[in-house]
Amino acid sequence: MKVLLFSGGVESTALAWSYRPDRLAFVDYGQIPAAGERRSAVFLADRLGLPLDQIAADISALGAGDMVARAAASHSKVAEAWPFRNQFLITLAAMRYAGNDLEEIMIGTVATDAVHADGTPTFLSRIQDLLQCELPSLQVTAPAIAIDTLTLVKQSSVPRDLLGWTFSCHRATVACGNCRGCNKTIQLFSELPNE
Ligand SMILES: [Zn+2]
């Protein structure tokens, strides 16, 4: 089974369109924008015709940065950074699907995510090594890790009307228009060719 961590954002929607994994996994880990992400994820999964599983594991008490309306952790340089978040989310997916012939966990990391320690090729390689201690053939992949979001969107040919339903805000359940997530999406739409 191939699973894509699916937040309802631009990157995971483009990957879902291109790769059509067996399952999409949405995680509510206590992030403030969870309700907005879920709304988009449910709608987009339906439009994509792909099955969506929802996983809930509230770790908001352990979060930092924009997504829990707290100051950034002392070692973080980026407003939305949540220490160890991606390894937590990938581990949750591994737990959820370990008994279902899990072959691959795909994540929507893009090149610009390298500002985060858990958005780098080194992280990807090491988390795969770690998970393979228990599931030796499990692959952890990030097909867009070497390209930016605009390139991913263009290469995937994901329809623009589908992208209009994505949700990327870090601070609220309705797009705030002023966080790094919203600003990246506004920038992306301004760079996409008009159809
Ligand atoms: Zn926002």
Side-chain angles (χ1 to χ4, degrees), residues 90-157:
I90 291 166
T91 301
L92 284 183
M95 290 176 175
R96 169 65 180 75
Y97 298 102
N100 301 97
D101 295 321
L102 181 60
E103 298 167 14
E104 180 177 347
I105 297 171
M106 184 183 294
I107 60 175
T109 299
V110 289
T112 49
D113 289 327
V115 296
H116 300 290
D118 60 3
T120 63
T122 299
F123 167 80
L124 193 70
S125 154
R126 291 186 180 176
I127 190 95
Q128 177 176 280
D129 283 348
L130 187 62
L131 295 180
Q132 286 183 348
C133 292
E134 184 151 349
L135 290 177
S137 61
L138 178 59
Q139 304 289 309
V140 181
T141 61
I145 198 165
I147 57 178
D148 62 14
T149 300
L150 180 62
T151 306
L152 167 63
V153 166
K154 287 179 175 172
Q155 287 183 357
S156 71
S157 301

Side-chain angles (χ1 to χ4, degrees), residues 32-57:
I32 287 172
E37 293 181 8
R38 179 186 295 104
R39 194 165 52 230
S40 287
V42 168
F43 182 86
L44 287 163
D46 183 62
R47 289 284 297 270
L48 288 159
L50 292 170
L52 177 76
D53 300 312
Q54 297 194 34
I55 302 169

Side-chain angles (χ1 to χ4, degrees), residues 169-171 175-179 182:
C169 185
H170 296 154
R171 292 182 180 158
C176 77
N178 195 34
C179 69
C182 287

